[in-house]
């Protein structure tokens, strides 16, 4: 304000200075430059003072939040191996890599070779070392994998020539390599199971989950109420500080309370409402998935799908084993003159059969897990846990609703689902069973009416729930600010000061 007055004074002074000749013009310019320099010095001094005030207002971060987050990330990895619905095929991630390999036509050759390399690394992790001799599922598979191992997982682009020579003879080359790897997993399943078991030796699932939820609850509580995090949201423009004034928030609070009561129970009840709103919103997001799971569960024919398929798979694999013995015997007797083409043709016939059988088996396995591991007393949470354990099948369920969904969107949705499952404040999905047809909205409304909170069914509709969540969050954020060492006025000042600094590139 002082600078503005000074500038106006200088403008007025410059306006009355004569510029009728060269001497006057030089004098005018000289004085203008002096004034400009003085104003620049004043401006820099003012900005320096603004920055000093700004830095004096903002608060430092809470290092404990980072420590809690680090623990959660490490614990999540352990929970993968504790998953009671998966076997080692899913726990090691081999299922995802081989599914990607099976869809070779969607990738380039480098990615396909990388999938093979990652698969071999997973086998190595389980202390199973594979060589080219293990890949005896057809002549083309043998040739390609022999070259693959020769390159020792390096310069994989050099396999292009081998691929070009083999592809036209065997377009299903990578599907056959995939099937061979499936067979090698089954052959070495005990080693995989032992590896997974060793990762969680002496760990109790229920205690690990309980401790995880305790830490997660602590993390969420600190993250949501931490004044540094809230302050940064205001400073970055994610939240508008003016929306959190006491007068505005007081009106919002009144709109959801049956009667005004200034006590600790009131804010605790609003906090619990925020938990329920988050949970119900997530329930709505995954409601259609739950309906699909229920339908799979109710179909009693899904209870015994895999047994007959596994018998067919083993029978076909045995035939390939016998054919390979005949090939080896012919090569031993006749060396390079051995006629083995008819045996390789028969192997290819069995591989085509296995290709379909494994696809059927993967679909059947998921359905059978749902049909046999759930009961009428299983909760919605139990159903979601199974779905989250099978990423590939989860993706298929999503694609039934949206064929255009991308792999990245599936990954993001799965991450959301896993976070929802581990959310420590769930009370709906872990208490309502899959056979219970109760109206969840009525349950929520009745619950909070008893806690002096008045919300409507319309507010809980999927098109309106975000507005209600925003309202409740404003009440809570206002409470967190008022309960902190930082005041609303200071945060407001910091926001205004930051605007000045930003506009001046500081």
């Amino acid at each position: 304000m002082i600078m503005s007055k000074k500038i106006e004074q200088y403008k007025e002074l410059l306006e009355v200075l004569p510029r009728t000749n060269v001497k006057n013009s030089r004098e005018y310019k000289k004085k203008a430059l002096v004034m400009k320099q003085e104003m620049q010095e004043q401006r820099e001094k003012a900005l320096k003072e603004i920055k000093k005030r700004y830095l004096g207002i903002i608060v430092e971060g809470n290092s404990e939040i980072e420590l809690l987050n680090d623990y959660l990330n490490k614990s999540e990895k352990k929970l993968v191996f504790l998953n009671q619905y998966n076997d080692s095929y899913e726990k090691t991630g081999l299922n995802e890599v081989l599914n990607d390999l099976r869809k070779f036509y969607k990738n380039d050759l480098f990615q396909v070779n990388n999938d093979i390399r990652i698969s071999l690394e997973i086998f190595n992790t389980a202390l199973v070392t594979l060589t080219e001799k293990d890949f005896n599922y057809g002549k083309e598979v043998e040739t390609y994998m022999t070259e693959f191992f020769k390159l020792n997982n390096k310069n994989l682009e050099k396999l292009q020539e081998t691929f070009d020579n083999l592809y036209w003879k065997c377009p299903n080359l990578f599907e056959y390599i995939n099937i061979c790897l499936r067979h090698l997993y089954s052959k070495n399943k005990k080693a995989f199971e032992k590896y997974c078991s060793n990762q969680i030796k002496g760990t109790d699932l229920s205690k690990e989950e309980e401790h995880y939820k305790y830490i997660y609850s602590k993390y969420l509580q600190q993250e949501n109420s931490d004044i540094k995090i809230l302050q940064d949201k205001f400073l970055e423009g994610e939240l508008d500080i003016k929306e959190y004034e006491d007068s505005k928030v007081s009106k919002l609070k009144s709109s959801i309370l049956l009667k005004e009561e200034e006590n600790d129970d009131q804010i605790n009840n609003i906090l619990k409402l925020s938990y329920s709103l988050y949970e119900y919103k997530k329930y709505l997001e995954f409601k259609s998935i739950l309906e699909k799971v229920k339908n799979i569960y109710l179909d009693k024919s899904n209870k015994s799908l895999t047994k007959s398929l596994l018998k067919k798979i083993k029978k076909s694999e045995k035939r390939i084993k016998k054919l390979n013995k005949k090939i080896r015997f012919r090569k031993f007797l006749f060396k390079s003159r051995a006629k083995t083409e008819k045996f390789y043709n028969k192997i290819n016939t069995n591989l085509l059969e296995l290709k379909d059988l494994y696809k059927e088996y993967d679909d059947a396995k998921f359905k059978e897990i749902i049909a046999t591991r759930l009961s009428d007393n299983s909760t919605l949470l139990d159903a979601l846990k199974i779905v989250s354990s099978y990423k590939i099948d989860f993706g298929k369920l999503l694609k039934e609703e949206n064929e255009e969904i991308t792999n990245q969107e599936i990954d993001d949705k799965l991450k959301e689902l896993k976070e929802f499952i581990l959310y420590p404040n769930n009370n709906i999905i872990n208490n309502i069973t899959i056979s219970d047809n109760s109206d969840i909205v009525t349950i929520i409304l009745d619950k909070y009416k008893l806690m002096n909170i008045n919300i409507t069914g319309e507010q809980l509709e999927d098109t309106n729930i975000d507005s209600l969540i925003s309202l409740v969050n404003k009440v809570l954020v206002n409470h967190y600010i008022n309960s902190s060492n930082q005041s609303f006025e200071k945060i407001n000042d910091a926001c205004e000061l930051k605007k000045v600094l930003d506009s001046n590139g500081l």
Side-chain angles (χ1 to χ4, degrees):
M1 195 70 179
I2 295 172
M3 280 187 68
S4 297
K5 285 184 178 180
K6 193 74 173 175
I7 290 169
E8 288 302 318
Q9 287 174 3
Y10 281 159
K11 280 183 178 178
E12 289 174 6
L13 183 60
L14 288 171
E15 283 175 4
V16 298
L17 287 176
R19 284 183 287 178
T20 54
N21 54 46
V22 174
K23 184 181 178 182
N24 287 343
S25 294
R26 284 176 182 169
E27 190 65 28
Y28 178 90
K29 187 177 180 181
K30 185 178 177 182
K31 286 188 177 181
L33 287 171
V34 170
M35 292 176 186
K36 182 182 178 183
Q37 186 176 351
E38 185 184 339
M39 285 299 95
Q40 283 178 335
E41 288 173 359
Q42 289 291 329
R43 176 177 172 276
E44 287 173 10
K45 187 178 177 181
L47 288 172
K48 191 175 180 181
E49 180 61 28
I50 288 170
K51 191 167 186 178
K52 183 181 175 182
R53 283 189 61 196
Y54 172 74
L55 294 173
I57 293 173
I58 61 173
V59 294
E60 296 299 316
N62 182 352
S63 58
E64 188 181 356
I65 293 177
E66 290 181 22
L67 293 174
L68 292 171
N69 192 40
D70 287 343
Y71 169 84
L72 292 174
N73 289 332
K74 290 174 184 175
S75 186
E76 281 171 16
K77 292 175 184 176
K78 189 181 286 187
L79 289 173
V80 169
F81 289 101
L82 284 165
N83 192 315
Q84 59 184 318
Y85 300 112
N86 288 152
D87 58 23
S88 55
Y89 185 55
E90 290 86 23
K91 287 176 181 177
T92 57
L94 188 60
N95 66 322
E96 291 182 38
V97 181
L98 294 189
N99 182 65
D100 196 46
L101 177 59
R102 189 172 63 80
K103 296 179 179 179
F104 66 91
Y105 48 86
K106 291 186 177 182
N107 299 314
D108 58 27
L109 187 60
F110 179 82
Q111 180 59 48
V112 169
N113 286 327
N114 196 47
D115 286 334
I116 297 172
R117 179 186 63 78
I118 294 170
S119 301
L120 296 177
E121 287 177 357
I122 292 173
F123 274 86
N124 285 334
T125 302
L127 302 180
V128 178
T129 303
L130 300 179
T131 69
E132 63 270 21
K133 292 178 182 178
D134 293 300
F135 291 86
N136 54 5
Y137 267 37
K139 187 189 291 184
E140 289 80 16
V141 171
E142 289 175 5
T143 303
Y144 193 85
M145 292 308 295
T146 297
E147 288 300 307
F148 190 97
F149 279 99
K150 272 184 186 177
L151 291 169
N152 196 26
N153 290 340
K154 295 174 182 176
N155 298 321
L156 297 182
E157 60 272 10
K158 288 186 178 180
L159 283 165
Q160 181 72 51
E161 188 178 342
T162 305
F163 168 73
D164 289 341
N165 291 333
L166 295 173
Y167 180 77
W168 300 112
K169 297 176 188 175
C170 181
N172 289 315
L173 172 65
F174 294 121
E175 290 223 50
Y176 293 167
I177 292 173
N178 176 48
I179 292 166
C180 187
L181 285 164
R182 291 292 298 261
H183 161 69
L184 291 168
Y185 164 76
S186 299
K187 183 180 176 181
N188 296 282
K189 188 172 180 178
K190 285 184 179 178
F192 274 80
E193 295 294 340
K194 185 179 180 181
Y195 163 74
C196 291
S197 180
N198 286 337
Q199 304 309 302
I200 51 169
K201 215 167 188 177
T203 306
D204 183 278
L205 172 60
S206 59
K207 287 183 180 177
E208 188 68 26
E209 278 192 344
E210 187 179 337
H211 189 59
Y212 178 93
K213 287 186 177 181
Y214 168 75
I215 298 295
Y216 192 15
S217 178
K218 198 173 178 182
Y219 169 77
L220 287 174
Q221 185 181 4
Q222 292 205 30
E223 186 190 41
N224 291 332
S225 62
D226 184 73
I227 196 64
K228 171 69 166 66
I229 293 174
L230 291 173
Q231 166 196 269
D232 289 349
K233 287 180 179 179
F234 289 122
L235 293 174
E236 296 304 320
E238 187 178 334
L239 299 178
D240 183 357
I241 186 65
K242 291 179 173 56
E243 294 297 314
Y244 295 82
E245 294 175 356
D246 286 343
S247 57
K248 288 186 178 180
V249 172
S250 180
K251 290 178 182 177
L252 294 177
K253 197 192 297 182
S254 298
S255 71
I256 59 169
L257 293 176
L258 288 168
K259 55 183 178 180
E260 289 284 348
E261 289 179 348
E262 288 297 332
N263 53 47
D264 291 339
D265 284 343
Q266 184 187 88
I267 202 67
N268 285 335
N269 290 340
I270 292 174
L271 181 61
K272 288 175 184 176
L273 174 62
S274 74
Y275 299 155
S276 295
L277 292 177
Y278 170 85
E279 182 182 6
Y280 186 64
K281 180 186 175 182
K282 289 298 174 186
Y283 162 77
L284 290 175
E285 285 180 23
F286 295 105
K287 186 179 178 182
S288 61
I289 296 290
L290 281 168
E291 290 301 320
K292 293 177 193 298
V293 172
K294 284 183 188 179
N295 290 335
I296 293 171
Y297 167 71
L298 292 171
D299 187 347
K300 301 305 176 186
S301 65
N302 289 327
K303 286 195 170 184
S304 55
L305 295 172
T306 61
K307 193 174 181 181
S308 61
L309 287 169
L310 282 173
K311 279 184 180 179
K312 290 177 183 178
I313 288 170
K314 286 178 181 178
K315 191 180 286 187
S316 191
E317 288 178 340
K318 280 181 182 179
R319 286 197 293 264
I320 291 174
K321 189 176 180 181
K322 286 179 181 178
L323 289 165
N324 275 320
K325 279 184 179 180
K326 289 179 181 180
I327 290 169
R328 286 196 298 272
F329 182 69
R330 289 294 177 101
K331 285 181 177 180
F332 175 75
L333 283 180
F334 304 107
K335 309 298 180 188
S336 60
R337 294 180 293 107
K339 293 182 179 180
T340 57
E341 200 61 38
K342 67 175 182 179
F343 301 117
Y344 279 120
N345 287 338
K346 286 181 180 178
I347 286 175
N348 284 344
T349 300
N350 280 278
L351 287 172
L352 284 171
E353 183 183 336
L354 280 172
K355 173 185 165 184
D356 294 331
L357 284 172
Y358 270 119
K359 189 175 183 302
E360 281 184 62
Y361 173 76
D362 288 338
D363 291 337
K365 180 182 179 182
F366 178 63
K367 291 177 181 178
E368 192 171 284
I369 288 285
I370 291 171
T372 57
R373 298 297 294 276
L374 292 179
S375 70
D376 287 351
N377 293 323
S378 296
T379 63
L380 299 177
L381 178 60
D382 294 326
L384 290 175
K385 279 183 176 180
I386 291 180
V387 175
S388 72
S389 302
Y390 291 87
K391 176 185 172 180
I392 296 163
D393 298 281
F394 174 67
K396 289 177 184 176
L397 293 179
L398 291 177
K399 284 185 177 181
E400 286 178 14
E401 299 171 11
N402 176 16
E403 288 183 8
E404 303 301 316
I405 192 169
T406 64
N407 289 335
Q408 185 57 55
E409 287 170 333
I410 291 172
D411 287 344
D412 292 343
K413 205 68 180 172
L414 182 62
K415 185 181 177 185
E416 278 185 49
L417 177 56
K418 288 182 175 179
E419 287 175 354
F420 178 34
I421 287 167
L422 292 168
Y423 185 62
N425 303 307
N426 285 330
N427 280 310
I428 301 169
I429 61 170
N430 53 344
N431 281 298
I432 293 180
T433 66
I434 58 173
S435 58
D436 190 343
N437 294 316
S438 299
D439 184 357
I440 296 177
V441 170
T442 301
I443 293 172
I444 295 172
L445 296 180
D446 290 348
K447 160 78 173 174
Y448 285 99
K449 194 165 285 186
L450 293 170
M451 298 168 71
N452 190 39
I453 292 175
N454 183 37
I455 53 176
T456 65
E458 188 179 354
Q459 286 176 300
L460 291 176
E461 290 175 2
D462 54 3
T463 52
N464 299 324
I465 194 167
D466 283 337
S467 296
L468 181 56
I469 288 172
S470 176
L471 186 160
V472 171
N473 284 343
K474 283 178 181 176
V475 174
L476 291 173
V477 169
N478 172 267
H479 168 74
Y480 296 141
I481 292 172
N482 289 331
S483 302
S484 73
N485 294 325
Q486 191 77 310
S487 67
F488 173 88
E489 288 74 18
K490 283 183 178 180
I491 296 175
N492 188 47
D493 287 345
C495 290
E496 294 302 319
L497 292 172
K498 188 174 185 296
K499 287 178 186 176
V500 175
L501 294 172
D502 288 344
S503 65
N504 287 279
L506 297 173

